[in-house]
Structure formats: C-alpha cells, structure tokens
Amino acid sequence: MTFDPEQLGQPKQELAALLKELRKRAGLTGDRLARRCNMSQSKISRIENGKAQPSLLDLERILRAVVAPPEVIEEVIALARLANTEWQDLRSLRRRGLEKKQTELAALESSSTEFRFFLLSMITGLLSTPEYIRASLAHSPTDVTKTIARKLERQEVLYDTKKQFSFILTEQAVRWPLLPPAAMAMQIDRLASLTYLPNVKLGVIPIAGYKPIVPMDTFTVYDNTLATVENTTGVVILRDPRDIEMHLELFSTLEGYALFGAEARALLTEWAAACRS
C-alpha cells in the first residue's frame, strides 16, 4: 500500500463513519453489535464517533459481526493503517520550533518504560555530547539554542532505572566524522561509558562480517505500542500493531549482528583511539 504523506493520520473519522454505516446496513443497533463482538456498547459508540481507535482485533470482530464483503474488509484495513500512521515533515517541525518536538519526545519517554533504538547513520541525542548535538543542528535555518538545551535535559531519563533502554548503532553511526577527530573521540568515549549503566544495553554492529539483512532507516520502538521511523525529510509515526511487530522482528535480527558489553567497549575504544591518532 502506498501512503500519501498528506493523508497519514487523517482518515480516523472516515474509518469511524464507515464502521457505523456497516452496522446500519447489517440492521444492527449499537447494543446488538456490542454483544456480537463481546464489547461494551460504550466502546462501540466511541469507535463510531471517532473517539476511540479500534485495534485490529476490534476490527476483525466488527467486520465478522456485520458480515462485511471482502472488498469492504480491504477498504477498512487500508483506512485503519492510514489512521494509525502519522507523518511529521521537517519543514513543519522547524516552523513550530524544534524545541516543541523535544518536549513531545520527553513526554513520550516519561510515559514509556521500554525503548529500542536502531541508529543507522548517526548518534541519537540521548547518547550525544553537547558538541555533537550542536554539530547535528548546525545547518538548521532556525535558532536551536532551546532545542540543544532540551536535548541535554532529556538525557536524564537514561538514569531512571525503572526504564530499560536498548541501543544498536552501526559502525557508520558511531564513526561518521560529524566533529573534528578529538571531539569525535570524546563522543565515542561517552558511548563506551554508557554501557556501564545497569538499565542501558548498548551494542555496535561492525562493518566486517556477513549480514544478509539490510536495514533502511533509523527507528525507535516504545513499549511495543508505537514506533517512529526517521529519514532525511521527517518522521513517520506508526501505531499499527503489524508495523510495530515488523520493527520488533528487525530489531531482534540486528541484535544478533551487534557486539555488547566488553566486546562493544573494546571496539569503541579502538575507534576512539583511531580518532586520537
């Protein structure tokens, strides 16, 4: 299925209206449909009014109860995928102020307990030195002073031992020379130091070796309920369980390619030394 970025996240009301129409066509009241689906009548009402987002299981129960034909099932599933996907383009984020995005991320980190980060081409702000953060924002046409401050404030979440973090970085992400060599060495040293945190699992994937799976994007999974996928022009936010499961499976595969603990620290120490030399 092809997404038009302007459509993503928009058709929630369209999905709600279609489900309500299917119920009426089947000659069912909200209460009768609720009994057939083993749901509460209030939940059916919230779904049909667009106030509650139905899960895939909810949709399967409703579509079965109203005896929806295959072509309608396909339409409903397509709408559900769009309703569970949001696009945030970089231009719009800059217009709003990049520090507002940092506030959103801080709220998401506050409400989540388990995090999986795959970093394909650069180091995320949670793991970055102040110099690295400044360099990553150097080409922004807007004032980034507040954004830098918020990124640094967000790093405090790493020390909350009630939360579990897994980071996988490619060798390219670690070694891409965003800073002069001495500053890059300090950035790599910081990565090595974070491997000692009890709630942080940090792994690196070296270029050497056979790796038949090719990841295409940087992505993060929060609590198995939400995933974000980043590219050059923005961020896609995914809430569809199928999309999240796909990224969890990919993350598990990438973990198998990564080095952790003492092995990761040895490699990071080697790369930092190469910068210093």
Side-chain angles (χ1 to χ4, degrees):
M1 179 179 180
T2 301
F3 291 142
D4 176 352
E6 298 303 318
Q7 290 180 307
L8 298 183
Q10 298 302 312
K12 294 180 181 179
Q13 293 300 325
E14 189 177 344
L15 174 62
L18 178 56
L19 292 174
K20 186 173 185 178
E21 178 63 23
L22 289 173
R23 172 180 62 77
K24 290 182 175 179
R25 285 184 200 172
L28 297 173
T29 63
D31 188 55
R32 286 183 62 196
L33 177 61
R35 289 198 299 271
R36 285 193 182 187
C37 297
N38 195 27
M39 297 182 195
S40 67
Q41 193 277 330
S42 61
K43 182 174 182 178
I44 292 292
S45 177
R46 290 197 304 275
I47 289 173
E48 291 186 353
N49 289 322
K51 295 180 179 178
Q53 187 65 32
S55 68
L56 285 179
L57 180 58
D58 294 335
L59 289 175
E60 289 174 4
R61 289 175 176 173
I62 292 170
L63 292 170
R64 193 182 308 118
V66 300
V67 196
E71 64 274 12
V72 172
I73 293 175
E74 184 177 347
E75 181 182 358
V76 169
I77 296 302
L79 281 172
R81 174 67 64 88
L82 287 171
N84 278 288
T85 306
E86 179 185 346
W87 167 249
Q88 295 182 345
D89 69 275
L90 184 57
R91 292 186 302 276
S92 296
L93 291 173
R94 283 173 172 166
R95 284 196 299 270
R96 290 175 53 215
L98 292 176
E99 71 278 3
K100 291 184 173 61
K101 179 63 178 178
Q102 296 305 307
T103 300
E104 290 176 9
L105 289 171
L108 186 54
E109 288 156 1
S110 176
S111 63
S112 305
T113 58
E114 187 173 6
F115 308 81
R116 296 175 180 87
F117 291 79
F118 172 67
L119 306 172
L120 178 64
S121 56
M122 68 182 299
I123 300 167
T124 186
L126 288 180
L127 306 177
S128 297
T129 62
E131 292 77 13
Y132 193 96
I133 290 174
R134 289 190 192 95
S136 71
L137 295 168
H139 299 289
S140 174
T142 59
D143 181 12
V144 294
T145 305
K146 292 181 180 178
T147 303
I148 293 170
R150 292 295 290 128
K151 278 179 174 279
L152 291 171
E153 288 172 9
R154 282 178 50 220
Q155 293 180 355
E156 295 178 11
V157 75
L158 292 175
Y159 302 94
D160 183 348
T161 55
K162 297 188 294 294
K163 300 180 186 293
Q164 296 295 318
F165 296 87
S166 295
F167 296 93
I168 298 175
L169 298 89
T170 65
E171 181 172 343
Q172 175 179 320
V174 175
R175 303 187 72 180
W176 186 267
L178 185 64
L179 296 169
M184 277 305 304
M186 293 180 64
Q187 171 61 76
I188 297 172
D189 287 343
R190 171 168 167 77
L191 295 178
S193 70
L194 291 171
T195 65
Y196 289 103
L197 290 179
N199 59 322
V200 172
K201 182 181 179 183
L202 190 151
V204 292
I205 300 178
I207 291 295
Y210 172 62
K211 301 172 182 69
I213 299 296
V214 182
M216 303 301 291
D217 300 288
T218 286
F219 65 87
T220 307
V221 181
Y222 300 84
D223 280 346
N224 301 357
T225 58
L226 183 148
T228 62
V229 181
E230 299 177 44
N231 59 37
T232 304
T233 57
V235 181
V236 178
I237 300 172
L238 304 167
R239 295 181 179 84
D240 190 301
R242 294 164 297 183
D243 295 325
I244 294 167
E245 182 60 29
M246 184 193 74
H247 284 87
L248 288 172
E249 291 174 2
L250 177 57
F251 192 88
S252 179
T253 299
L254 295 169
E255 274 188 311
Y257 299 157
L259 301 177
F260 295 92
E263 288 183 306
R265 285 191 291 273
L267 201 53
L268 291 166
T269 300
E270 176 187 325
W271 293 342
C275 290
R276 291 189 170 94
S277 66

